[in-house]
Amino acid sequence: MSYEKRFDGRSFDEFRPVEIKVGVIPRADGSAMFKIGKTVAIAGVKGPRELHPAHRRDPEKAVLNVYYDMVSFSTPDRVRPGPDRRDTELSKVIREALEPALLLDKFPYAGIDLFVYILQANAGTRCAAISAASLALAHAGIPMRDLVSAVACGKVGDKIVVDLTKEEEDYEEGATDVPIAIMPRTRKITLLQMDGSMTPEEAKEIVRKGIKACEKIAELQREALKSVFEGGNNE
Amino acid sequence: MSEVYVKDRELVVPGQVIAKGIDFIPSSGTVREGDSVVATMLGLAHQKNKIMRVIPLVGPYFPQVGDQVIGRISSVGFSGWMVDIGTPYPASLSVRDAVGEYVDLQKTDITKFYDYGDLIVAKILYISKGGNIRLSMKGPIYRKLKGGKLIKITPSKIPRLIGKQGSMVNLIKTRTKCLIIAGQNGWVWISGERRNEIAAAKVIAMIDEESHTTGLTERVEATLKKLMGDNNEL
């Protein structure tokens, strides 16, 4: 059966309403909240600062530590507090999505700690995490060659869609989830994963649409960063 | 083809192209990508001749040799101290660079000069290739700071706090009758009557938040007038 109309009525290329706030954690060196639909991610950055343990220090650049975790009330069924294997993998994946954009060689031997929590999960969590994290790092003043913007695209039934909801991910006729992250200015992909199956032609189309959606998200991220110092003060 | 894409002091975000052309020189806060000069920090774009840079409105302290900094003794060693100046790793201060008189290290406990927790004002003497910072306190202004209040602001805002030829900080000093010493690392020490220290701190926090705006000096004067009452002294 064909997926004709999206559950929430969106068009196939439309992502859910996005809300961004930069500077939500006053004590962090940088912070941001990224909300897309019902998915909410909050990122906080401390650093550059002393890196422990000492054997992890890199004489050529700072080491980025990413700690991704979902809070216990983020999902309909309570998730046990603390990182699980998925969180550990996502921490790595998020780090690898952000590192290409960062100029870490300015802080040799140092560490940059990035904490990103999912306060509410309705699919697209790692993408929301990446988008929030990129803003938090920019807010902290970590030099970077570009922001990183992310969105989860894919296939629901036979239709290619942008920004899947949990309902769409669980579509009984099958769905494929393709999280994508890019550095928007150069459109270079820093994250590309697939959970499901697709043909090579579908892959091209999904990536093409994903990049377009990420570019739009990047524009929202830029506005949010500017608004820290323009008009409304977000602290 | 050379082109500058931003106005002077325009707010830019990381990743934003501020100029295109191989003859532009990317300076601090920017990086060259192909033939474009791209901002790497959230801040104000500034061009001087062919040099493009971004004055950051956020971010950590980038230490330079010669900078005056305020620091806190974080550990005491045999022949010197480690000093926290807000950089990822503490700076070092050796007895030789801190004390004018001869010190017999075999017999002297150097805590008699500076002890754990003491606040000092010092100068960056040397930064090694690996990033180790050495401080010096040779000179009349460098000393231990007793009492007072320490506040920390964004390091890149210190020049605005000081003002042209010290105009801004002197304004605050005279109106609040406080001693104020600003470190390039963003640490600022205030000393005076308790109430006045609080007023000075409020004004400094205001400069931290609004350093990128115009008309700041007038607003600072107005705030000082409100906090300190109408003062006939200038």
Side-chain angles (χ1 to χ4, degrees), chain B residues 120-155:
Chain B
I120 58 165
V121 55
K123 179 174 75 165
I124 293 184
L125 183 65
Y126 174 68
I127 303 178
S128 77
K129 219 166 6 169
N132 288 316
I133 299 168
R134 273 194 20 221
L135 301 175
S136 161
M137 290 181 72
K138 292 274 174 70
I141 36 167
Y142 306 115
R143 62 192 191 281
K144 177 159 77 178
L145 299 171
K146 301 198 182 119
K149 193 174 160 62
L150 177 74
I151 59 176
K152 297 180 188 178
I153 67 171
T154 313

PDB file of all heavy atoms in Angstrom, chain B residues 120-155:
ATOM      1  N   ILE B 120      46.885  37.247  41.816  1.00  0.00           N
ATOM      2  CA  ILE B 120      48.018  38.080  41.421  1.00  0.00           C
ATOM      3  C   ILE B 120      47.769  38.725  40.060  1.00  0.00           C
ATOM      4  O   ILE B 120      46.966  38.228  39.265  1.00  0.00           O
ATOM      5  CB  ILE B 120      49.343  37.268  41.311  1.00  0.00           C
ATOM      6  CG1 ILE B 120      49.167  36.122  40.297  1.00  0.00           C
ATOM      7  CG2 ILE B 120      49.781  36.738  42.656  1.00  0.00           C
ATOM      8  CD1 ILE B 120      50.480  35.509  39.865  1.00  0.00           C
ATOM      9  N   VAL B 121      48.464  39.814  39.825  1.00  0.00           N
ATOM     10  CA  VAL B 121      48.476  40.378  38.475  1.00  0.00           C
ATOM     11  C   VAL B 121      49.888  40.181  37.938  1.00  0.00           C
ATOM     12  O   VAL B 121      50.875  40.441  38.642  1.00  0.00           O
ATOM     13  CB  VAL B 121      48.011  41.855  38.444  1.00  0.00           C
ATOM     14  CG1 VAL B 121      48.795  42.742  39.374  1.00  0.00           C
ATOM     15  CG2 VAL B 121      48.089  42.418  37.048  1.00  0.00           C
ATOM     16  N   ALA B 122      49.998  39.648  36.741  1.00  0.00           N
ATOM     17  CA  ALA B 122      51.294  39.272  36.168  1.00  0.00           C
ATOM     18  C   ALA B 122      51.294  39.549  34.674  1.00  0.00           C
ATOM     19  O   ALA B 122      50.288  39.950  34.093  1.00  0.00           O
ATOM     20  CB  ALA B 122      51.568  37.798  36.438  1.00  0.00           C
ATOM     21  N   LYS B 123      52.436  39.291  34.078  1.00  0.00           N
ATOM     22  CA  LYS B 123      52.587  39.523  32.644  1.00  0.00           C
ATOM     23  C   LYS B 123      52.995  38.201  31.996  1.00  0.00           C
ATOM     24  O   LYS B 123      53.739  37.422  32.593  1.00  0.00           O
ATOM     25  CB  LYS B 123      53.683  40.565  32.443  1.00  0.00           C
ATOM     26  CG  LYS B 123      53.976  40.899  30.998  1.00  0.00           C
ATOM     27  CD  LYS B 123      54.964  42.038  30.896  1.00  0.00           C
ATOM     28  CE  LYS B 123      56.375  41.599  31.222  1.00  0.00           C
ATOM     29  NZ  LYS B 123      57.368  42.605  30.786  1.00  0.00           N
ATOM     30  N   ILE B 124      52.526  37.957  30.776  1.00  0.00           N
ATOM     31  CA  ILE B 124      52.968  36.747  30.078  1.00  0.00           C
ATOM     32  C   ILE B 124      54.346  37.018  29.492  1.00  0.00           C
ATOM     33  O   ILE B 124      54.538  37.912  28.671  1.00  0.00           O
ATOM     34  CB  ILE B 124      51.972  36.330  28.978  1.00  0.00           C
ATOM     35  CG1 ILE B 124      50.654  35.895  29.629  1.00  0.00           C
ATOM     36  CG2 ILE B 124      52.542  35.183  28.146  1.00  0.00           C
ATOM     37  CD1 ILE B 124      49.619  35.365  28.671  1.00  0.00           C
ATOM     38  N   LEU B 125      55.298  36.236  29.969  1.00  0.00           N
ATOM     39  CA  LEU B 125      56.689  36.430  29.576  1.00  0.00           C
ATOM     40  C   LEU B 125      57.003  35.674  28.301  1.00  0.00           C
ATOM     41  O   LEU B 125      57.673  36.162  27.398  1.00  0.00           O
ATOM     42  CB  LEU B 125      57.582  35.944  30.724  1.00  0.00           C
ATOM     43  CG  LEU B 125      59.075  36.096  30.603  1.00  0.00           C
ATOM     44  CD1 LEU B 125      59.437  37.567  30.561  1.00  0.00           C
ATOM     45  CD2 LEU B 125      59.764  35.440  31.802  1.00  0.00           C
ATOM     46  N   TYR B 126      56.486  34.455  28.245  1.00  0.00           N
ATOM     47  CA  TYR B 126      56.920  33.557  27.181  1.00  0.00           C
ATOM     48  C   TYR B 126      55.888  32.451  27.001  1.00  0.00           C
ATOM     49  O   TYR B 126      55.315  31.969  27.966  1.00  0.00           O
ATOM     50  CB  TYR B 126      58.270  32.972  27.609  1.00  0.00           C
ATOM     51  CG  TYR B 126      58.824  31.899  26.701  1.00  0.00           C
ATOM     52  CD1 TYR B 126      59.257  32.202  25.411  1.00  0.00           C
ATOM     53  CD2 TYR B 126      58.930  30.589  27.157  1.00  0.00           C
ATOM     54  CE1 TYR B 126      59.772  31.229  24.585  1.00  0.00           C
ATOM     55  CE2 TYR B 126      59.460  29.603  26.339  1.00  0.00           C
ATOM     56  CZ  TYR B 126      59.876  29.925  25.051  1.00  0.00           C
ATOM     57  OH  TYR B 126      60.398  28.957  24.243  1.00  0.00           O
ATOM     58  N   ILE B 127      55.614  32.081  25.754  1.00  0.00           N
ATOM     59  CA  ILE B 127      54.728  30.949  25.482  1.00  0.00           C
ATOM     60  C   ILE B 127      55.515  29.971  24.626  1.00  0.00           C
ATOM     61  O   ILE B 127      55.948  30.305  23.520  1.00  0.00           O
ATOM     62  CB  ILE B 127      53.462  31.384  24.731  1.00  0.00           C
ATOM     63  CG1 ILE B 127      52.723  32.472  25.522  1.00  0.00           C
ATOM     64  CG2 ILE B 127      52.538  30.194  24.493  1.00  0.00           C
ATOM     65  CD1 ILE B 127      51.474  33.018  24.847  1.00  0.00           C
ATOM     66  N   SER B 128      55.713  28.769  25.118  1.00  0.00           N
ATOM     67  CA  SER B 128      56.524  27.803  24.381  1.00  0.00           C
ATOM     68  C   SER B 128      55.737  27.249  23.209  1.00  0.00           C
ATOM     69  O   SER B 128      54.524  27.420  23.107  1.00  0.00           O
ATOM     70  CB  SER B 128      56.958  26.659  25.301  1.00  0.00           C
ATOM     71  OG  SER B 128      55.864  25.785  25.482  1.00  0.00           O
ATOM     72  N   LYS B 129      56.421  26.576  22.325  1.00  0.00           N
ATOM     73  CA  LYS B 129      55.747  26.014  21.147  1.00  0.00           C
ATOM     74  C   LYS B 129      54.649  25.039  21.551  1.00  0.00           C
ATOM     75  O   LYS B 129      53.639  24.929  20.907  1.00  0.00           O
ATOM     76  CB  LYS B 129      56.783  25.318  20.256  1.00  0.00           C
ATOM     77  CG  LYS B 129      56.471  25.583  18.823  1.00  0.00           C
ATOM     78  CD  LYS B 129      57.489  25.284  17.777  1.00  0.00           C
ATOM     79  CE  LYS B 129      58.739  24.603  18.201  1.00  0.00           C
ATOM     80  NZ  LYS B 129      59.492  24.160  17.048  1.00  0.00           N
ATOM     81  N   GLY B 130      54.876  24.334  22.649  1.00  0.00           N
ATOM     82  CA  GLY B 130      53.877  23.376  23.109  1.00  0.00           C
ATOM     83  C   GLY B 130      52.718  24.026  23.842  1.00  0.00           C
ATOM     84  O   GLY B 130      51.782  23.349  24.253  1.00  0.00           O
ATOM     85  N   GLY B 131      52.793  25.341  24.015  1.00  0.00           N
ATOM     86  CA  GLY B 131      51.680  26.031  24.660  1.00  0.00           C
ATOM     87  C   GLY B 131      51.876  26.330  26.129  1.00  0.00           C
ATOM     88  O   GLY B 131      50.986  26.861  26.774  1.00  0.00           O
ATOM     89  N   ASN B 132      53.042  25.997  26.684  1.00  0.00           N
ATOM     90  CA  ASN B 132      53.281  26.299  28.105  1.00  0.00           C
ATOM     91  C   ASN B 132      53.489  27.793  28.272  1.00  0.00           C
ATOM     92  O   ASN B 132      54.260  28.418  27.558  1.00  0.00           O
ATOM     93  CB  ASN B 132      54.533  25.570  28.608  1.00  0.00           C
ATOM     94  CG  ASN B 132      54.274  24.093  28.735  1.00  0.00           C
ATOM     95  OD1 ASN B 132      53.243  23.691  29.242  1.00  0.00           O
ATOM     96  ND2 ASN B 132      55.196  23.285  28.252  1.00  0.00           N
ATOM     97  N   ILE B 133      52.793  28.365  29.252  1.00  0.00           N
ATOM     98  CA  ILE B 133      52.837  29.809  29.468  1.00  0.00           C
ATOM     99  C   ILE B 133      53.686  30.111  30.689  1.00  0.00           C
ATOM    100  O   ILE B 133      53.491  29.520  31.754  1.00  0.00           O
ATOM    101  CB  ILE B 133      51.417  30.365  29.679  1.00  0.00           C
ATOM    102  CG1 ILE B 133      50.565  30.094  28.444  1.00  0.00           C
ATOM    103  CG2 ILE B 133      51.455  31.864  29.981  1.00  0.00           C
ATOM    104  CD1 ILE B 133      49.095  30.341  28.654  1.00  0.00           C
ATOM    105  N   ARG B 134      54.637  31.008  30.527  1.00  0.00           N
ATOM    106  CA  ARG B 134      55.439  31.460  31.678  1.00  0.00           C
ATOM    107  C   ARG B 134      55.108  32.895  31.996  1.00  0.00           C
ATOM    108  O   ARG B 134      55.024  33.738  31.098  1.00  0.00           O
ATOM    109  CB  ARG B 134      56.921  31.309  31.363  1.00  0.00           C
ATOM    110  CG  ARG B 134      57.386  29.906  31.720  1.00  0.00           C
ATOM    111  CD  ARG B 134      58.868  29.674  31.775  1.00  0.00           C
ATOM    112  NE  ARG B 134      59.704  30.805  31.925  1.00  0.00           N
ATOM    113  CZ  ARG B 134      60.865  30.956  31.252  1.00  0.00           C
ATOM    114  NH1 ARG B 134      61.233  30.038  30.391  1.00  0.00           N
ATOM    115  NH2 ARG B 134      61.608  32.018  31.445  1.00  0.00           N
ATOM    116  N   LEU B 135      54.914  33.140  33.265  1.00  0.00           N
ATOM    117  CA  LEU B 135      54.553  34.483  33.729  1.00  0.00           C
ATOM    118  C   LEU B 135      55.730  35.173  34.392  1.00  0.00           C
ATOM    119  O   LEU B 135      56.665  34.519  34.845  1.00  0.00           O
ATOM    120  CB  LEU B 135      53.416  34.400  34.751  1.00  0.00           C
ATOM    121  CG  LEU B 135      52.109  33.765  34.294  1.00  0.00           C
ATOM    122  CD1 LEU B 135      51.152  33.668  35.474  1.00  0.00           C
ATOM    123  CD2 LEU B 135      51.468  34.563  33.181  1.00  0.00           C
ATOM    124  N   SER B 136      55.624  36.498  34.443  1.00  0.00           N
ATOM    125  CA  SER B 136      56.623  37.276  35.165  1.00  0.00           C
ATOM    126  C   SER B 136      55.901  38.321  36.007  1.00  0.00           C
ATOM    127  O   SER B 136      54.843  38.822  35.624  1.00  0.00           O
ATOM    128  CB  SER B 136      57.553  37.975  34.175  1.00  0.00           C
ATOM    129  OG  SER B 136      58.222  39.054  34.799  1.00  0.00           O
ATOM    130  N   MET B 137      56.496  38.615  37.175  1.00  0.00           N
ATOM    131  CA  MET B 137      55.933  39.680  38.005  1.00  0.00           C
ATOM    132  C   MET B 137      56.965  40.766  38.244  1.00  0.00           C
ATOM    133  O   MET B 137      56.886  41.519  39.211  1.00  0.00           O
ATOM    134  CB  MET B 137      55.414  39.111  39.322  1.00  0.00           C
ATOM    135  CG  MET B 137      54.178  38.258  39.109  1.00  0.00           C
ATOM    136  SD  MET B 137      53.512  37.584  40.614  1.00  0.00           S
ATOM    137  CE  MET B 137      52.814  39.015  41.375  1.00  0.00           C
ATOM    138  N   LYS B 138      57.919  40.862  37.343  1.00  0.00           N
ATOM    139  CA  LYS B 138      58.938  41.896  37.474  1.00  0.00           C
ATOM    140  C   LYS B 138      58.363  43.193  36.962  1.00  0.00           C
ATOM    141  O   LYS B 138      57.995  43.303  35.804  1.00  0.00           O
ATOM    142  CB  LYS B 138      60.178  41.515  36.632  1.00  0.00           C
ATOM    143  CG  LYS B 138      60.935  40.298  37.153  1.00  0.00           C
ATOM    144  CD  LYS B 138      61.937  40.709  38.197  1.00  0.00           C
ATOM    145  CE  LYS B 138      62.644  39.573  38.879  1.00  0.00           C
ATOM    146  NZ  LYS B 138      63.590  38.869  37.986  1.00  0.00           N
ATOM    147  N   GLY B 139      58.283  44.147  37.866  1.00  0.00           N
ATOM    148  CA  GLY B 139      57.706  45.425  37.459  1.00  0.00           C
ATOM    149  C   GLY B 139      56.813  45.956  38.560  1.00  0.00           C
ATOM    150  O   GLY B 139      56.275  45.180  39.344  1.00  0.00           O
ATOM    151  N   PRO B 140      56.646  47.271  38.631  1.00  0.00           N
ATOM    152  CA  PRO B 140      55.937  47.863  39.763  1.00  0.00           C
ATOM    153  C   PRO B 140      54.455  47.517  39.836  1.00  0.00           C
ATOM    154  O   PRO B 140      53.900  47.408  40.929  1.00  0.00           O
ATOM    155  CB  PRO B 140      56.120  49.376  39.562  1.00  0.00           C
ATOM    156  CG  PRO B 140      56.488  49.540  38.130  1.00  0.00           C
ATOM    157  CD  PRO B 140      57.174  48.283  37.711  1.00  0.00           C
ATOM    158  N   ILE B 141      53.797  47.318  38.695  1.00  0.00           N
ATOM    159  CA  ILE B 141      52.356  47.072  38.780  1.00  0.00           C
ATOM    160  C   ILE B 141      52.020  45.636  39.152  1.00  0.00           C
ATOM    161  O   ILE B 141      50.893  45.342  39.552  1.00  0.00           O
ATOM    162  CB  ILE B 141      51.624  47.385  37.458  1.00  0.00           C
ATOM    163  CG1 ILE B 141      52.498  46.995  36.257  1.00  0.00           C
ATOM    164  CG2 ILE B 141      51.231  48.822  37.371  1.00  0.00           C
ATOM    165  CD1 ILE B 141      51.733  46.978  34.978  1.00  0.00           C
ATOM    166  N   TYR B 142      52.996  44.738  39.040  1.00  0.00           N
ATOM    167  CA  TYR B 142      52.683  43.330  39.278  1.00  0.00           C
ATOM    168  C   TYR B 142      52.819  43.007  40.742  1.00  0.00           C
ATOM    169  O   TYR B 142      53.857  43.226  41.350  1.00  0.00           O
ATOM    170  CB  TYR B 142      53.591  42.448  38.418  1.00  0.00           C
ATOM    171  CG  TYR B 142      53.506  42.836  36.962  1.00  0.00           C
ATOM    172  CD1 TYR B 142      54.612  43.354  36.301  1.00  0.00           C
ATOM    173  CD2 TYR B 142      52.291  42.730  36.267  1.00  0.00           C
ATOM    174  CE1 TYR B 142      54.525  43.740  34.977  1.00  0.00           C
ATOM    175  CE2 TYR B 142      52.205  43.109  34.945  1.00  0.00           C
ATOM    176  CZ  TYR B 142      53.319  43.619  34.299  1.00  0.00           C
ATOM    177  OH  TYR B 142      53.231  44.009  32.996  1.00  0.00           O
ATOM    178  N   ARG B 143      51.738  42.502  41.326  1.00  0.00           N
ATOM    179  CA  ARG B 143      51.730  42.254  42.759  1.00  0.00           C
ATOM    180  C   ARG B 143      50.575  41.331  43.120  1.00  0.00           C
ATOM    181  O   ARG B 143      49.764  40.979  42.265  1.00  0.00           O
ATOM    182  CB  ARG B 143      51.579  43.568  43.516  1.00  0.00           C
ATOM    183  CG  ARG B 143      50.257  44.276  43.192  1.00  0.00           C
ATOM    184  CD  ARG B 143      50.283  45.693  43.723  1.00  0.00           C
ATOM    185  NE  ARG B 143      48.980  46.329  43.674  1.00  0.00           N
ATOM    186  CZ  ARG B 143      48.432  46.845  42.575  1.00  0.00           C
ATOM    187  NH1 ARG B 143      49.070  46.788  41.422  1.00  0.00           N
ATOM    188  NH2 ARG B 143      47.244  47.422  42.627  1.00  0.00           N
ATOM    189  N   LYS B 144      50.534  40.994  44.420  1.00  0.00           N
ATOM    190  CA  LYS B 144      49.399  40.226  44.927  1.00  0.00           C
ATOM    191  C   LYS B 144      48.238  41.191  45.110  1.00  0.00           C
ATOM    192  O   LYS B 144      48.423  42.338  45.507  1.00  0.00           O
ATOM    193  CB  LYS B 144      49.795  39.584  46.262  1.00  0.00           C
ATOM    194  CG  LYS B 144      48.649  38.809  46.904  1.00  0.00           C
ATOM    195  CD  LYS B 144      49.133  37.776  47.901  1.00  0.00           C
ATOM    196  CE  LYS B 144      49.544  38.366  49.219  1.00  0.00           C
ATOM    197  NZ  LYS B 144      49.963  37.301  50.160  1.00  0.00           N
ATOM    198  N   LEU B 145      47.032  40.719  44.814  1.00  0.00           N
ATOM    199  CA  LEU B 145      45.857  41.566  44.983  1.00  0.00           C
ATOM    200  C   LEU B 145      45.112  41.123  46.227  1.00  0.00           C
ATOM    201  O   LEU B 145      44.649  39.987  46.326  1.00  0.00           O
ATOM    202  CB  LEU B 145      44.937  41.441  43.752  1.00  0.00           C
ATOM    203  CG  LEU B 145      45.581  41.874  42.429  1.00  0.00           C
ATOM    204  CD1 LEU B 145      44.677  41.491  41.259  1.00  0.00           C
ATOM    205  CD2 LEU B 145      45.861  43.370  42.423  1.00  0.00           C
ATOM    206  N   LYS B 146      45.012  42.031  47.194  1.00  0.00           N
ATOM    207  CA  LYS B 146      44.366  41.644  48.454  1.00  0.00           C
ATOM    208  C   LYS B 146      42.957  42.191  48.500  1.00  0.00           C
ATOM    209  O   LYS B 146      42.703  43.337  48.110  1.00  0.00           O
ATOM    210  CB  LYS B 146      45.166  42.215  49.636  1.00  0.00           C
ATOM    211  CG  LYS B 146      46.587  41.731  49.668  1.00  0.00           C
ATOM    212  CD  LYS B 146      47.243  41.921  51.042  1.00  0.00           C
ATOM    213  CE  LYS B 146      48.685  41.465  50.996  1.00  0.00           C
ATOM    214  NZ  LYS B 146      49.660  42.522  51.294  1.00  0.00           N
ATOM    215  N   GLY B 147      42.077  41.377  49.003  1.00  0.00           N
ATOM    216  CA  GLY B 147      40.688  41.805  49.160  1.00  0.00           C
ATOM    217  C   GLY B 147      40.030  42.012  47.812  1.00  0.00           C
ATOM    218  O   GLY B 147      40.392  41.393  46.813  1.00  0.00           O
ATOM    219  N   GLY B 148      39.064  42.905  47.781  1.00  0.00           N
ATOM    220  CA  GLY B 148      38.420  43.225  46.511  1.00  0.00           C
ATOM    221  C   GLY B 148      37.536  42.117  45.986  1.00  0.00           C
ATOM    222  O   GLY B 148      37.195  41.170  46.687  1.00  0.00           O
ATOM    223  N   LYS B 149      37.168  42.268  44.735  1.00  0.00           N
ATOM    224  CA  LYS B 149      36.180  41.390  44.113  1.00  0.00           C
ATOM    225  C   LYS B 149      36.727  41.025  42.744  1.00  0.00           C
ATOM    226  O   LYS B 149      37.233  41.867  42.014  1.00  0.00           O
ATOM    227  CB  LYS B 149      34.898  42.218  43.956  1.00  0.00           C
ATOM    228  CG  LYS B 149      33.649  41.473  43.621  1.00  0.00           C
ATOM    229  CD  LYS B 149      32.491  42.490  43.658  1.00  0.00           C
ATOM    230  CE  LYS B 149      31.287  42.033  42.894  1.00  0.00           C
ATOM    231  NZ  LYS B 149      30.694  40.814  43.412  1.00  0.00           N
ATOM    232  N   LEU B 150      36.616  39.755  42.390  1.00  0.00           N
ATOM    233  CA  LEU B 150      37.080  39.321  41.073  1.00  0.00           C
ATOM    234  C   LEU B 150      35.890  38.959  40.209  1.00  0.00           C
ATOM    235  O   LEU B 150      35.021  38.202  40.644  1.00  0.00           O
ATOM    236  CB  LEU B 150      37.978  38.082  41.217  1.00  0.00           C
ATOM    237  CG  LEU B 150      38.468  37.474  39.894  1.00  0.00           C
ATOM    238  CD1 LEU B 150      39.553  38.350  39.291  1.00  0.00           C
ATOM    239  CD2 LEU B 150      38.996  36.066  40.111  1.00  0.00           C
ATOM    240  N   ILE B 151      35.796  39.549  39.019  1.00  0.00           N
ATOM    241  CA  ILE B 151      34.751  39.086  38.106  1.00  0.00           C
ATOM    242  C   ILE B 151      35.403  38.679  36.784  1.00  0.00           C
ATOM    243  O   ILE B 151      36.489  39.132  36.456  1.00  0.00           O
ATOM    244  CB  ILE B 151      33.645  40.132  37.872  1.00  0.00           C
ATOM    245  CG1 ILE B 151      34.211  41.415  37.293  1.00  0.00           C
ATOM    246  CG2 ILE B 151      32.885  40.451  39.142  1.00  0.00           C
ATOM    247  CD1 ILE B 151      33.126  42.407  36.958  1.00  0.00           C
ATOM    248  N   LYS B 152      34.723  37.783  36.097  1.00  0.00           N
ATOM    249  CA  LYS B 152      35.264  37.281  34.838  1.00  0.00           C
ATOM    250  C   LYS B 152      34.306  37.637  33.707  1.00  0.00           C
ATOM    251  O   LYS B 152      33.113  37.345  33.795  1.00  0.00           O
ATOM    252  CB  LYS B 152      35.430  35.754  34.911  1.00  0.00           C
ATOM    253  CG  LYS B 152      36.438  35.347  35.970  1.00  0.00           C
ATOM    254  CD  LYS B 152      36.612  33.830  36.039  1.00  0.00           C
ATOM    255  CE  LYS B 152      37.480  33.468  37.225  1.00  0.00           C
ATOM    256  NZ  LYS B 152      37.660  32.026  37.372  1.00  0.00           N
ATOM    257  N   ILE B 153      34.839  38.272  32.673  1.00  0.00           N
ATOM    258  CA  ILE B 153      34.002  38.582  31.508  1.00  0.00           C
ATOM    259  C   ILE B 153      34.623  37.920  30.271  1.00  0.00           C
ATOM    260  O   ILE B 153      35.703  37.336  30.353  1.00  0.00           O
ATOM    261  CB  ILE B 153      33.847  40.101  31.302  1.00  0.00           C
ATOM    262  CG1 ILE B 153      35.178  40.751  30.918  1.00  0.00           C
ATOM    263  CG2 ILE B 153      33.252  40.761  32.530  1.00  0.00           C
ATOM    264  CD1 ILE B 153      35.025  42.208  30.501  1.00  0.00           C
ATOM    265  N   THR B 154      33.928  38.005  29.153  1.00  0.00           N
ATOM    266  CA  THR B 154      34.444  37.432  27.916  1.00  0.00           C
ATOM    267  C   THR B 154      35.750  38.146  27.561  1.00  0.00           C
ATOM    268  O   THR B 154      35.769  39.370  27.440  1.00  0.00           O
ATOM    269  CB  THR B 154      33.435  37.635  26.774  1.00  0.00           C
ATOM    270  OG1 THR B 154      32.146  37.274  27.237  1.00  0.00           O
ATOM    271  CG2 THR B 154      33.794  36.800  25.571  1.00  0.00           C
ATOM    272  N   PRO B 155      36.847  37.393  27.384  1.00  0.00           N
ATOM    273  CA  PRO B 155      38.161  38.021  27.146  1.00  0.00           C
ATOM    274  C   PRO B 155      38.160  39.013  25.980  1.00  0.00           C
ATOM    275  O   PRO B 155      38.812  40.052  26.062  1.00  0.00           O
ATOM    276  CB  PRO B 155      39.070  36.824  26.839  1.00  0.00           C
ATOM    277  CG  PRO B 155      38.426  35.685  27.533  1.00  0.00           C
ATOM    278  CD  PRO B 155      36.953  35.934  27.505  1.00  0.00           C
TER     279      PRO B 155
END
